[in-house]
Protein backbone atom coordinates (compact mmCIF):
# COMPACT_ATOMS: atom_id res chain seq x y z
CA UNK A 1 0.00 0.00 0.00
CA UNK A 2 2.87 2.35 0.80
CA UNK A 3 4.40 1.56 -2.59
CA UNK A 4 1.15 2.53 -4.36
CA UNK A 5 1.03 5.77 -2.37
CA UNK A 6 4.55 6.61 -3.50
CA UNK A 7 3.63 5.96 -7.13
CA UNK A 8 0.57 8.19 -6.86
CA UNK A 9 2.60 10.95 -5.21
CA UNK A 10 5.26 10.72 -7.90
CA UNK A 11 2.67 10.96 -10.68
CA UNK A 12 1.02 13.95 -9.00
CA UNK A 13 4.40 15.66 -8.60
CA UNK A 14 5.25 15.09 -12.26
CA UNK A 15 1.90 16.58 -13.28
CA UNK A 16 2.49 19.69 -11.19
CA UNK A 17 6.03 20.09 -12.53
CA UNK A 18 4.68 19.75 -16.07
CA UNK A 19 2.27 22.60 -15.37
CA UNK A 20 5.07 24.75 -13.97
CA UNK A 21 6.76 24.63 -17.38
CA UNK A 22 3.80 26.38 -19.01
CA UNK A 23 4.85 29.21 -21.38
CA UNK A 24 4.36 32.86 -20.48
CA UNK A 25 2.20 35.34 -22.41
CA UNK A 26 3.87 37.98 -24.60
CA UNK A 27 4.00 41.42 -22.99
CA UNK A 28 4.08 44.53 -25.21
CA UNK A 29 4.29 48.09 -23.89
CA UNK A 30 1.23 50.16 -24.80
CA UNK A 31 2.98 53.31 -25.99
CA UNK A 32 0.00 54.79 -27.84
CA UNK A 33 -2.10 55.06 -24.68
CA UNK A 34 0.84 56.19 -22.54
CA UNK A 35 1.86 58.92 -25.01
CA UNK A 36 -1.57 60.39 -25.77
CA UNK A 37 -1.13 64.20 -26.12
CA UNK A 38 -2.30 66.56 -23.43
CA UNK A 39 -4.23 68.73 -25.90
CA UNK A 40 -5.71 68.40 -29.37
CA UNK A 41 -3.51 71.23 -30.63
CA UNK A 42 -0.71 73.45 -29.40
CA UNK A 43 -3.02 76.36 -28.66
CA UNK A 44 -4.13 77.02 -25.11
CA UNK A 45 -7.25 75.04 -24.37
CA UNK A 46 -10.30 76.91 -23.09
CA UNK A 47 -12.82 75.09 -20.89
CA UNK A 48 -10.62 71.99 -20.84
CA UNK A 49 -12.89 70.32 -18.30
CA UNK A 50 -16.01 70.84 -20.43
CA UNK A 51 -16.66 68.08 -22.97
CA UNK A 52 -19.67 68.19 -25.27
CA UNK A 53 -19.42 64.41 -25.71
CA UNK A 54 -21.04 63.94 -22.30
CA UNK A 55 -24.15 65.91 -23.30
CA UNK A 56 -27.21 63.64 -23.80
CA UNK A 57 -28.33 63.64 -27.41
CA UNK A 58 -31.83 64.91 -26.55
CA UNK A 59 -30.20 68.05 -25.16
CA UNK A 60 -27.73 68.38 -28.02
CA UNK A 61 -30.33 68.26 -30.82
CA UNK A 62 -33.03 70.91 -30.57
CA UNK A 63 -34.98 70.30 -33.80
CA UNK A 64 -38.15 68.40 -32.69
CA UNK A 65 -38.51 66.75 -36.11
CA UNK A 66 -34.95 65.41 -35.93
CA UNK A 67 -35.46 64.22 -32.34
CA UNK A 68 -38.58 62.33 -33.43
CA UNK A 69 -36.68 60.65 -36.29
CA UNK A 70 -33.88 59.59 -33.95
CA UNK A 71 -36.35 58.11 -31.46
CA UNK A 72 -37.94 56.05 -34.23
CA UNK A 73 -34.52 54.84 -35.41
CA UNK A 74 -33.59 53.73 -31.89
CA UNK A 75 -36.71 51.55 -31.79
CA UNK A 76 -36.66 50.05 -35.27
CA UNK A 77 -33.15 50.10 -36.76
CA UNK A 78 -32.23 46.54 -37.80
CA UNK A 79 -28.50 46.92 -37.18
CA UNK A 80 -29.19 48.03 -33.62
CA UNK A 81 -31.59 45.14 -33.07
CA UNK A 82 -28.93 42.70 -34.35
CA UNK A 83 -26.43 44.19 -31.92
CA UNK A 84 -28.86 43.70 -29.03
CA UNK A 85 -29.00 40.00 -29.87
CA UNK A 86 -25.22 39.85 -29.79
CA UNK A 87 -25.45 41.12 -26.20
CA UNK A 88 -27.86 38.31 -25.36
CA UNK A 89 -25.48 35.78 -26.91
CA UNK A 90 -22.57 37.14 -24.87
CA UNK A 91 -24.72 37.06 -21.72
CA UNK A 92 -25.46 33.38 -22.33
CA UNK A 93 -21.72 32.80 -22.68
CA UNK A 94 -21.19 34.23 -19.19
CA UNK A 95 -23.86 31.90 -17.76
CA UNK A 96 -22.25 28.92 -19.50
CA UNK A 97 -18.82 29.69 -18.03
CA UNK A 98 -20.35 30.31 -14.60
CA UNK A 99 -22.10 26.95 -14.76
CA UNK A 100 -18.76 25.13 -15.05
CA UNK A 101 -17.81 26.33 -11.56
CA UNK A 102 -20.58 24.30 -9.93
CA UNK A 103 -21.06 20.50 -9.89
CA UNK A 104 -23.07 18.89 -12.63
CA UNK A 105 -25.85 16.80 -11.05
CA UNK A 106 -28.17 14.55 -13.04
CA UNK A 107 -30.75 11.89 -12.27
CA UNK A 108 -31.36 8.70 -14.18
CA UNK A 109 -32.94 5.25 -14.22
CA UNK A 110 -31.96 2.16 -16.15
CA UNK A 111 -32.72 -1.47 -16.74
CA UNK A 112 -30.70 -4.26 -18.32
CA UNK A 113 -30.30 -8.02 -18.74
CA UNK A 114 -27.08 -9.99 -18.75
CA UNK A 115 -26.22 -13.65 -19.41
CA UNK A 116 -22.69 -14.68 -18.39
CA UNK A 117 -21.06 -17.81 -19.87
CA UNK A 118 -21.16 -20.81 -17.53
CA UNK A 119 -17.51 -21.55 -17.99
CA UNK A 120 -16.31 -18.10 -16.99
CA UNK A 121 -15.30 -16.86 -13.61
CA UNK A 122 -18.40 -14.68 -13.43
CA UNK A 123 -20.73 -17.46 -14.62
CA UNK A 124 -19.21 -20.06 -12.34
CA UNK A 125 -19.42 -17.68 -9.38
CA UNK A 126 -23.08 -16.86 -10.04
CA UNK A 127 -23.93 -20.58 -10.38
CA UNK A 128 -22.57 -21.36 -6.92
CA UNK A 129 -24.00 -18.28 -5.22
CA UNK A 130 -27.31 -18.22 -3.38
CA UNK A 131 -29.20 -14.98 -2.92
CA UNK A 132 -31.03 -16.45 0.00
CA UNK A 133 -30.74 -19.92 1.53
CA UNK A 134 -32.06 -22.35 -1.03
CA UNK A 135 -32.47 -19.68 -3.75
CA UNK A 136 -29.96 -19.54 -6.57
CA UNK A 137 -28.82 -16.51 -8.52
CA UNK A 138 -31.16 -15.87 -11.50
CA UNK A 139 -29.83 -16.69 -14.97
CA UNK A 140 -29.97 -14.53 -17.04
CA UNK A 141 -29.35 -11.77 -14.48
CA UNK A 142 -31.42 -8.59 -14.61
CA UNK A 143 -30.23 -5.18 -13.45
CA UNK A 144 -32.46 -2.30 -12.36
CA UNK A 145 -31.05 0.98 -11.08
CA UNK A 146 -31.87 4.57 -10.38
CA UNK A 147 -30.15 7.45 -8.62
CA UNK A 148 -28.15 10.66 -8.77
CA UNK A 149 -24.85 11.26 -10.55
CA UNK A 150 -22.55 14.23 -9.93
CA UNK A 151 -19.39 15.44 -11.61
CA UNK A 152 -17.28 18.40 -10.51
CA UNK A 153 -14.03 19.86 -11.77
CA UNK A 154 -12.29 21.49 -8.83
CA UNK A 155 -10.98 24.88 -9.97
CA UNK A 156 -7.65 24.53 -8.18
CA UNK A 157 -5.79 26.84 -10.62
CA UNK A 158 -8.73 29.26 -11.07
CA UNK A 159 -8.82 28.39 -14.75
CA UNK A 160 -12.62 28.25 -14.82
CA UNK A 161 -12.86 31.56 -12.97
CA UNK A 162 -10.50 33.11 -15.50
CA UNK A 163 -12.67 31.83 -18.36
CA UNK A 164 -15.73 33.33 -16.66
CA UNK A 165 -13.98 36.70 -16.24
CA UNK A 166 -13.05 36.63 -19.94
CA UNK A 167 -16.69 35.95 -20.83
CA UNK A 168 -17.81 38.85 -18.63
CA UNK A 169 -15.30 41.20 -20.30
CA UNK A 170 -16.54 40.10 -23.72
CA UNK A 171 -20.14 40.66 -22.62
CA UNK A 172 -19.32 44.18 -21.44
CA UNK A 173 -17.56 44.86 -24.75
CA UNK A 174 -20.76 43.94 -26.64
CA UNK A 175 -22.63 46.46 -24.48
CA UNK A 176 -20.11 49.13 -25.50
CA UNK A 177 -20.45 47.92 -29.08
CA UNK A 178 -24.17 48.58 -28.82
CA UNK A 179 -23.44 52.07 -27.52
CA UNK A 180 -21.12 52.68 -30.49
CA UNK A 181 -23.86 51.55 -32.88
CA UNK A 182 -26.22 53.98 -31.13
CA UNK A 183 -23.73 56.82 -31.54
CA UNK A 184 -23.18 56.04 -35.23
CA UNK A 185 -26.91 55.68 -35.87
CA UNK A 186 -27.74 59.06 -34.34
CA UNK A 187 -24.94 60.70 -36.30
CA UNK A 188 -26.11 59.09 -39.55
CA UNK A 189 -29.75 60.11 -39.05
CA UNK A 190 -28.76 63.71 -38.23
CA UNK A 191 -26.34 64.00 -41.18
CA UNK A 192 -28.92 62.67 -43.64
CA UNK A 193 -31.57 64.95 -42.15
CA UNK A 194 -29.42 68.03 -42.73
CA UNK A 195 -28.57 66.84 -46.24
CA UNK A 196 -32.29 66.49 -46.95
CA UNK A 197 -32.96 70.04 -45.72
CA UNK A 198 -30.11 71.27 -47.91
CA UNK A 199 -31.67 69.57 -50.95
CA UNK A 200 -35.04 71.19 -50.12
CA UNK A 201 -33.41 74.61 -50.07
CA UNK A 202 -31.49 73.92 -53.27
CA UNK A 203 -34.75 72.96 -54.94
CA UNK A 204 -36.27 76.28 -53.86
CA UNK A 205 -33.26 78.16 -55.22
CA UNK A 206 -33.33 76.39 -58.58
CA UNK A 207 -37.06 77.12 -58.89
CA UNK A 208 -36.42 80.80 -58.14
CA UNK A 209 -33.75 80.94 -60.82
CA UNK A 210 -36.01 79.19 -63.30
CA UNK A 211 -38.51 82.03 -62.86
CA UNK A 212 -35.71 84.56 -63.20
CA UNK A 213 -34.46 82.92 -66.40
CA UNK A 214 -37.97 82.76 -67.81
CA UNK A 215 -38.27 86.54 -67.37
CA UNK A 216 -34.85 87.03 -68.99
CA UNK A 217 -35.99 84.87 -71.92
CA UNK A 218 -39.13 86.93 -72.36
CA UNK A 219 -37.11 90.15 -72.35
CA UNK A 220 -34.70 88.74 -74.96
CA UNK A 221 -37.63 87.85 -77.22
CA UNK A 222 -39.07 91.36 -76.87
CA UNK A 223 -35.67 92.88 -77.63
CA UNK A 224 -35.29 90.64 -80.67
CA UNK A 225 -38.60 91.88 -82.03
CA UNK A 226 -37.37 95.41 -81.42
CA UNK A 227 -34.10 94.55 -83.18
CA UNK A 228 -32.22 95.25 -79.97
CA UNK A 229 -31.07 91.59 -79.60
CA UNK A 230 -30.39 88.63 -81.88
CA UNK A 231 -31.78 85.11 -82.19
CA UNK A 232 -28.53 83.88 -80.62
CA UNK A 233 -29.41 85.60 -77.33
CA UNK A 234 -32.87 84.02 -77.33
CA UNK A 235 -31.43 80.52 -77.92
CA UNK A 236 -28.82 81.00 -75.21
CA UNK A 237 -31.51 81.96 -72.69
CA UNK A 238 -33.65 78.97 -73.79
CA UNK A 239 -30.69 76.60 -73.30
CA UNK A 240 -29.93 78.02 -69.86
CA UNK A 241 -33.58 77.62 -68.86
CA UNK A 242 -33.63 73.99 -70.02
CA UNK A 243 -30.44 73.32 -68.08
CA UNK A 244 -31.96 74.67 -64.88
CA UNK A 245 -35.15 72.62 -65.35
CA UNK A 246 -33.03 69.48 -65.82
CA UNK A 247 -31.17 70.30 -62.60
CA UNK A 248 -34.52 70.60 -60.83
CA UNK A 249 -35.44 66.99 -61.71
CA UNK A 250 -32.03 65.81 -60.53
CA UNK A 251 -32.56 67.45 -57.15
CA UNK A 252 -36.07 65.99 -56.89
CA UNK A 253 -34.60 62.51 -57.41
CA UNK A 254 -31.91 63.19 -54.82
CA UNK A 255 -34.62 64.21 -52.35
CA UNK A 256 -36.53 60.98 -52.94
CA UNK A 257 -33.41 58.87 -52.44
CA UNK A 258 -32.41 60.79 -49.31
CA UNK A 259 -35.87 60.36 -47.80
CA UNK A 260 -35.72 56.62 -48.47
CA UNK A 261 -32.22 56.47 -46.99
CA UNK A 262 -33.56 57.99 -43.77
CA UNK A 263 -36.53 55.62 -43.83
CA UNK A 264 -34.11 52.70 -44.12
CA UNK A 265 -32.26 53.92 -41.02
CA UNK A 266 -35.62 54.14 -39.26
CA UNK A 267 -36.45 50.56 -40.27
CA UNK A 268 -39.60 51.40 -42.20
CA UNK A 269 -40.96 51.49 -45.73
CA UNK A 270 -40.81 54.74 -47.76
CA UNK A 271 -42.94 57.56 -46.42
CA UNK A 272 -42.60 61.36 -46.25
CA UNK A 273 -40.05 62.73 -43.79
CA UNK A 274 -41.57 65.42 -41.58
CA UNK A 275 -39.30 68.47 -41.64
CA UNK A 276 -39.19 72.26 -41.71
CA UNK A 277 -36.89 73.72 -44.35
CA UNK A 278 -37.61 77.39 -43.75
CA UNK A 279 -35.22 77.90 -40.84
CA UNK A 280 -32.39 75.82 -42.28
CA UNK A 281 -30.19 78.69 -43.47
CA UNK A 282 -30.65 80.62 -40.23
CA UNK A 283 -29.81 77.65 -38.00
CA UNK A 284 -26.72 78.33 -35.93
CA UNK A 285 -24.49 75.33 -35.16
CA UNK A 286 -23.91 74.59 -31.51
CA UNK A 287 -20.63 75.43 -29.85
CA UNK A 288 -18.68 72.24 -29.21
CA UNK A 289 -16.20 71.86 -26.36
CA UNK A 290 -13.64 69.10 -26.86
CA UNK A 291 -12.13 68.82 -23.39
CA UNK A 292 -8.79 66.97 -23.26
CA UNK A 293 -7.76 63.91 -25.30
CA UNK A 294 -7.60 61.55 -22.30
CA UNK A 295 -11.37 61.99 -21.86
CA UNK A 296 -11.84 60.05 -25.09
CA UNK A 297 -10.81 56.88 -23.22
CA UNK A 298 -13.84 57.21 -20.96
CA UNK A 299 -16.34 58.75 -23.41
CA UNK A 300 -15.98 56.89 -26.70
CA UNK A 301 -17.76 53.51 -26.75
CA UNK A 302 -15.48 52.09 -29.46
CA UNK A 303 -12.40 52.75 -27.33
CA UNK A 304 -14.03 51.17 -24.27
CA UNK A 305 -15.13 48.23 -26.42
CA UNK A 306 -11.58 47.72 -27.70
CA UNK A 307 -10.24 47.99 -24.15
CA UNK A 308 -12.64 45.33 -22.87
CA UNK A 309 -11.82 43.04 -25.80
CA UNK A 310 -8.15 43.48 -24.91
CA UNK A 311 -8.92 42.51 -21.31
CA UNK A 312 -10.90 39.47 -22.49
CA UNK A 313 -8.09 38.35 -24.80
CA UNK A 314 -5.54 38.63 -21.98
CA UNK A 315 -7.75 36.50 -19.77
CA UNK A 316 -8.11 34.00 -22.62
CA UNK A 317 -4.32 33.72 -22.73
CA UNK A 318 -4.20 33.11 -18.99
CA UNK A 319 -6.90 30.43 -19.25
CA UNK A 320 -5.06 28.78 -22.16
CA UNK A 321 -1.84 28.81 -20.12
CA UNK A 322 -3.58 27.02 -17.26
CA UNK A 323 -4.49 24.18 -19.61
CA UNK A 324 -0.92 22.99 -19.06
CA UNK A 325 -1.72 22.41 -15.39
CA UNK A 326 -3.28 19.15 -14.16
CA UNK A 327 -7.02 19.14 -13.54
CA UNK A 328 -8.82 17.53 -10.61
CA UNK A 329 -12.24 16.03 -11.20
CA UNK A 330 -14.50 14.38 -8.64
CA UNK A 331 -17.35 12.12 -9.68
CA UNK A 332 -19.96 10.50 -7.44
CA UNK A 333 -23.08 8.37 -7.78
CA UNK A 334 -25.72 7.48 -5.23
CA UNK A 335 -28.79 5.36 -5.86
CA UNK A 336 -30.52 1.99 -5.70
CA UNK A 337 -29.50 -1.10 -7.68
CA UNK A 338 -30.88 -4.66 -7.77
CA UNK A 339 -31.46 -7.49 -10.23
CA UNK A 340 -35.21 -7.44 -9.51
CA UNK A 341 -37.45 -4.33 -9.12
CA UNK A 342 -38.99 -5.63 -5.88
CA UNK A 343 -35.56 -5.69 -4.26
CA UNK A 344 -34.98 -1.97 -4.89
CA UNK A 345 -36.96 -1.08 -1.78
CA UNK A 346 -34.88 -3.30 0.49
CA UNK A 347 -32.60 -1.09 2.50
CA UNK A 348 -29.68 -0.85 2.92
CA UNK A 349 -28.90 -3.89 0.70
CA UNK A 350 -30.00 -2.13 -2.53
CA UNK A 351 -28.11 1.10 -1.83
CA UNK A 352 -25.18 1.66 -4.21
CA UNK A 353 -22.71 4.51 -4.31
CA UNK A 354 -19.44 5.45 -5.90
CA UNK A 355 -16.94 8.25 -5.20
CA UNK A 356 -13.82 8.84 -7.28
CA UNK A 357 -11.28 11.58 -7.77
CA UNK A 358 -9.07 11.98 -10.83
CA UNK A 359 -5.97 14.15 -11.22
CA UNK A 360 -4.95 14.34 -14.88
CA UNK A 361 -2.66 16.50 -16.91
CA UNK A 362 -0.74 16.46 -20.21
CA UNK A 363 2.63 14.69 -20.15
CA UNK A 364 3.80 13.90 -23.68
CA UNK A 365 1.66 15.16 -26.58
CA UNK A 366 0.86 18.80 -25.76
CA UNK A 367 0.87 20.19 -29.30
CA UNK A 368 -2.87 20.96 -29.26
CA UNK A 369 -2.58 22.82 -25.95
CA UNK A 370 0.47 24.72 -27.19
CA UNK A 371 -1.33 25.66 -30.40
CA UNK A 372 -4.33 26.89 -28.41
CA UNK A 373 -2.06 28.99 -26.19
CA UNK A 374 -0.14 30.45 -29.14
CA UNK A 375 -3.42 31.35 -30.85
CA UNK A 376 -4.71 33.08 -27.71
CA UNK A 377 -1.38 34.89 -27.28
CA UNK A 378 -1.45 36.14 -30.87
CA UNK A 379 -5.05 37.31 -30.45
CA UNK A 380 -4.20 39.34 -27.34
CA UNK A 381 -1.37 41.06 -29.24
CA UNK A 382 -3.81 41.69 -32.08
CA UNK A 383 -6.33 43.14 -29.61
CA UNK A 384 -3.67 45.49 -28.24
CA UNK A 385 -2.89 46.82 -31.72
CA UNK A 386 -6.63 47.19 -32.39
CA UNK A 387 -7.00 49.14 -29.15
CA UNK A 388 -4.09 51.43 -30.03
CA UNK A 389 -5.47 51.95 -33.54
CA UNK A 390 -8.86 52.92 -32.13
CA UNK A 391 -7.31 55.48 -29.77
CA UNK A 392 -5.16 56.97 -32.54
CA UNK A 393 -8.04 57.23 -34.99
CA UNK A 394 -10.28 58.79 -32.33
CA UNK A 395 -7.69 61.48 -31.61
CA UNK A 396 -7.17 62.20 -35.32
CA UNK A 397 -10.94 62.34 -35.91
CA UNK A 398 -11.37 65.05 -33.30
CA UNK A 399 -8.27 66.98 -34.41
CA UNK A 400 -9.39 66.96 -38.07
CA UNK A 401 -12.97 67.93 -37.24
CA UNK A 402 -11.85 70.77 -34.97
CA UNK A 403 -9.90 72.22 -37.87
CA UNK A 404 -12.84 71.60 -40.21
CA UNK A 405 -15.24 73.47 -37.91
CA UNK A 406 -13.06 76.57 -38.01
CA UNK A 407 -12.42 76.42 -41.76
CA UNK A 408 -16.01 75.67 -42.73
CA UNK A 409 -17.19 78.65 -40.66
CA UNK A 410 -14.81 80.93 -42.57
CA UNK A 411 -15.82 79.30 -45.84
CA UNK A 412 -19.49 79.95 -45.05
CA UNK A 413 -18.81 83.62 -44.29
CA UNK A 414 -16.97 84.10 -47.59
CA UNK A 415 -19.72 82.34 -49.54
CA UNK A 416 -22.31 84.55 -47.87
CA UNK A 417 -20.43 87.65 -49.04
CA UNK A 418 -20.06 86.20 -52.54
CA UNK A 419 -23.77 85.38 -52.76
CA UNK A 420 -24.80 88.83 -51.62
CA UNK A 421 -22.54 90.52 -54.17
CA UNK A 422 -23.75 88.29 -57.03
CA UNK A 423 -27.40 88.88 -56.15
CA UNK A 424 -26.76 92.59 -56.49
CA UNK A 425 -24.90 92.04 -59.77
CA UNK A 426 -27.90 90.13 -61.19
CA UNK A 427 -30.21 93.08 -60.56
CA UNK A 428 -27.68 95.45 -62.13
CA UNK A 429 -27.12 93.19 -65.17
CA UNK A 430 -30.84 92.74 -65.75
CA UNK A 431 -31.42 96.48 -65.57
CA UNK A 432 -28.61 97.16 -68.02
CA UNK A 433 -29.93 94.43 -70.34
CA UNK A 434 -33.40 95.97 -70.37
CA UNK A 435 -31.85 99.30 -71.34
CA UNK A 436 -29.65 97.62 -73.98
CA UNK A 437 -26.51 98.68 -72.12
CA UNK A 438 -25.35 95.07 -71.46
CA UNK A 439 -25.44 91.99 -73.70
CA UNK A 440 -27.03 88.63 -72.90
CA UNK A 441 -23.67 87.01 -72.03
CA UNK A 442 -23.21 89.30 -69.04
CA UNK A 443 -26.70 88.42 -67.81
CA UNK A 444 -26.15 84.67 -68.30
CA UNK A 445 -22.78 84.66 -66.59
CA UNK A 446 -24.13 86.58 -63.63
CA UNK A 447 -27.08 84.21 -63.29
CA UNK A 448 -24.83 81.13 -63.48
CA UNK A 449 -22.38 82.51 -60.94
CA UNK A 450 -25.14 83.54 -58.57
CA UNK A 451 -26.86 80.13 -58.84
CA UNK A 452 -23.61 78.27 -58.20
CA UNK A 453 -22.79 80.50 -55.25
CA UNK A 454 -26.26 79.98 -53.71
CA UNK A 455 -25.95 76.21 -54.12
CA UNK A 456 -22.49 76.22 -52.56
CA UNK A 457 -23.72 78.40 -49.71
CA UNK A 458 -26.44 75.86 -48.90
CA UNK A 459 -23.88 73.04 -49.06
CA UNK A 460 -21.64 75.02 -46.73
CA UNK A 461 -24.48 75.38 -44.22
CA UNK A 462 -25.15 71.63 -44.41
CA UNK A 463 -21.44 70.85 -43.88
CA UNK A 464 -21.33 73.33 -41.03
CA UNK A 465 -24.18 71.57 -39.21
CA UNK A 466 -23.01 68.05 -40.08
CA UNK A 467 -19.45 68.76 -38.93
CA UNK A 468 -20.76 69.73 -35.50
CA UNK A 469 -22.70 66.45 -35.38
CA UNK A 470 -19.60 64.52 -36.45
CA UNK A 471 -17.36 66.07 -33.80
CA UNK A 472 -20.07 65.45 -31.17
CA UNK A 473 -20.01 61.76 -32.10
CA UNK A 474 -16.19 61.70 -32.25
CA UNK A 475 -16.07 63.03 -28.67
CA UNK A 476 -18.17 60.07 -27.56
CA UNK A 477 -21.57 61.70 -27.71
CA UNK A 478 -24.84 60.24 -28.89
CA UNK A 479 -25.27 57.03 -26.89
CA UNK A 480 -26.39 58.51 -23.57
Amino acid sequence: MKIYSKYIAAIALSLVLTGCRAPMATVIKDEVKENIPQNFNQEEQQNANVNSGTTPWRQFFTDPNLVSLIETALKNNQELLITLQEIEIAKSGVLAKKGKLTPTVSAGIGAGLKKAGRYTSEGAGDATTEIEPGREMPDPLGNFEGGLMANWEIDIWKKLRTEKEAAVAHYLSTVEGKNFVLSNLIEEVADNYYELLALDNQLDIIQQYIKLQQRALEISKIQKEAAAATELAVKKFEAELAKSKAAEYTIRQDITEKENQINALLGRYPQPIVRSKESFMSTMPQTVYTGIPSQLLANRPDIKQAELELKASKLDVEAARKEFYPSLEISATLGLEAFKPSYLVKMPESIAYNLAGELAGPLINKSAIKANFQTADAKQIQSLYEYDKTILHAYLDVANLMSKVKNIDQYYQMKSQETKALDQSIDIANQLFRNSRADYLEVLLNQRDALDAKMELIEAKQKQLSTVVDIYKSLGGGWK
Side-chain angles (χ1 to χ4, degrees):
M1 186 68 182
K2 291 182 178 179
I3 296 176
Y4 290 145
S5 298
K6 290 180 180 179
Y7 285 153
I8 293 173
I11 293 173
L13 180 61
S14 65
L15 291 173
V16 173
L17 292 175
T18 300
C20 292
R21 292 196 299 268
M24 300 299 293
T26 304
V27 179
I28 300 178
K29 188 177 181 180
D30 189 359
E31 296 184 356
V32 173
K33 181 180 178 180
E34 292 179 358
N35 297 328
I36 188 168
Q38 296 296 318
N39 299 309
F40 285 105
N41 54 43
Q42 300 302 320
E43 300 176 2
E44 183 179 355
Q45 294 290 308
Q46 299 294 330
N47 299 314
N49 294 325
V50 180
N51 191 311
S52 297
T54 60
T55 304
W57 67 266
R58 283 185 174 85
Q59 297 179 17
F60 187 82
F61 297 105
T62 57
D63 187 330
N65 294 322
L66 175 56
V67 170
S68 177
L69 292 174
I70 293 175
E71 288 176 344
T72 303
L74 296 182
K75 294 178 183 177
N76 301 332
N77 182 263
Q78 283 81 15
E79 184 178 354
L80 179 58
L81 295 176
I82 292 171
T83 305
L84 292 177
Q85 295 310 306
E86 291 178 358
I87 293 177
E88 293 301 318
I89 294 171
K91 186 186 296 184
S92 299
V94 174
L95 294 176
K97 296 297 182 182
K98 184 179 180 181
K100 290 185 176 182
L101 290 168
T102 57
T104 301
V105 180
S106 59
I109 57 174
L113 188 66
K114 183 178 182 181
K115 171 74 170 68
R118 178 66 179 80
Y119 300 108
T120 63
S121 59
E122 183 180 356
D126 290 346
T128 57
T129 301
E130 293 183 346
I131 301 171
E132 297 175 351
R135 187 171 183 180
E136 297 180 350
M137 183 75 73
D139 188 24
L141 184 66
N143 184 58
F144 299 90
E145 60 183 357
L148 301 175
M149 294 153 282
N151 189 66
W152 187 19
E153 181 179 352
I154 307 300
D155 195 20
I156 53 179
W157 310 111
K158 296 185 178 180
K159 181 191 74 172
L160 300 179
R161 287 181 176 84
T162 303
E163 291 178 350
K164 190 197 79 169
E165 290 175 4
V168 170
H170 178 65
Y171 162 72
L172 294 176
S173 76
T174 60
V175 174
E176 295 299 338
K178 181 264 296 182
N179 292 336
F180 189 57
V181 171
L182 278 175
S183 184
N184 283 337
L185 177 61
I186 291 173
E187 177 199 32
E188 199 167 354
V189 171
D191 284 345
N192 281 280
Y193 178 75
Y194 290 136
E195 289 175 12
L196 180 59
L197 292 181
L199 288 171
D200 288 338
N201 280 265
Q202 287 182 336
L203 181 62
D204 289 343
I205 292 297
I206 199 72
Q207 289 174 342
Q208 292 173 14
Y209 275 86
I210 286 174
K211 293 179 180 178
L212 182 64
Q213 288 163 354
Q214 286 174 338
R215 288 197 296 270
L217 176 60
E218 292 171 358
I219 293 172
S220 66
K221 289 180 178 179
I222 293 173
Q223 288 188 335
K224 178 195 169 186
E225 293 176 356
T230 64
E231 180 68 16
L232 179 59
V234 174
K235 295 302 180 184
K236 284 289 186 179
F237 280 115
E238 287 180 350
E240 195 69 17
L241 179 60
K243 180 181 178 181
S244 297
K245 288 183 176 180
E248 178 185 2
Y249 290 112
T250 300
I251 295 175
R252 289 185 182 278
Q253 179 60 29
D254 291 341
I255 290 174
T256 299
E257 293 179 1
K258 188 59 64 176
E259 283 186 319
N260 289 338
Q261 190 173 350
I262 295 175
N263 282 315
L265 292 173
L266 271 55
R268 66 189 189 187
Y269 287 105
Q271 56 184 277
I273 301 298
V274 178
R275 58 195 187 270
S276 178
K277 62 184 178 180
E278 288 75 17
S279 60
F280 175 71
M281 294 303 294
S282 61
T283 302
M284 296 301 296
Q286 291 198 30
T287 302
V288 178
Y289 300 99
T290 60
I292 56 178
S294 60
Q295 292 173 333
L296 293 175
L297 303 180
N299 292 342
R300 279 190 56 136
D302 56 335
I303 293 180
K304 292 194 285 185
Q305 180 185 19
E307 183 179 15
L308 287 166
E309 284 296 335
L310 176 60
K311 178 181 178 181
S313 63
K314 288 181 177 180
L315 290 169
D316 286 338
V317 174
E318 186 62 24
R321 183 175 183 271
K322 291 175 180 178
E323 290 289 345
F324 290 91
Y325 299 161
S327 60
L328 176 60
E329 291 190 7
I330 296 176
S331 59
T333 58
L334 175 64
L336 302 175
E337 186 175 17
F339 63 83
K340 190 175 181 181
S342 61
Y343 287 161
L344 289 172
V345 296
K346 291 190 175 183
M347 305 291 183
E349 290 84 355
S350 62
I351 295 177
Y353 61 85
N354 177 51
L355 179 64
E358 181 181 3
L359 183 67
L363 286 177
I364 300 175
N365 188 359
K366 299 185 289 185
S367 59
I369 299 176
K370 288 180 180 178
N372 184 46
F373 173 80
Q374 291 170 355
T375 299
D377 190 42
K379 285 184 177 179
Q380 68 104 4
I381 297 174
Q382 188 180 52
S383 297
L384 175 61
Y385 293 147
E386 188 69 31
Y387 177 55
D388 288 344
K389 184 183 74 173
T390 306
I391 293 176
L392 183 60
H393 285 184
Y395 178 88
L396 294 175
D397 281 347
V398 176
N400 289 338
L401 288 169
M402 284 178 60
S403 175
K404 186 176 181 180
V405 166
K406 295 178 181 178
N407 291 326
I408 199 67
D409 286 344
Q410 294 299 319
Y411 177 81
Y412 181 80
Q413 297 300 326
M414 295 300 102
K415 280 296 175 181
S416 296
Q417 295 180 17
E418 179 187 2
T419 302
K420 187 179 297 185
L422 287 172
D423 279 343
Q424 294 173 353
S425 70
I426 285 180
D427 294 335
I428 296 172
N430 287 337
Q431 186 65 35
L432 293 174
F433 183 66
R434 291 190 191 96
N435 297 326
S436 300
R437 297 178 60 188
D439 60 21
Y440 66 92
L441 289 176
E442 292 178 288
V443 176
L444 285 174
L445 290 175
N446 273 281
Q447 289 180 352
R448 288 178 183 177
D449 291 343
L451 177 59
D452 291 341
K454 284 266 187 175
M455 293 296 195
E456 291 171 357
L457 180 64
I458 294 172
E459 290 179 0
K461 172 57 70 174
Q462 177 264 314
K463 289 179 180 178
Q464 194 180 44
L465 296 173
S466 293
T467 301
V468 171
V469 174
D470 295 343
I471 196 170
Y472 171 65
K473 175 255 180 181
S474 295
L475 291 170
W479 59 272
K480 294 182 180 179

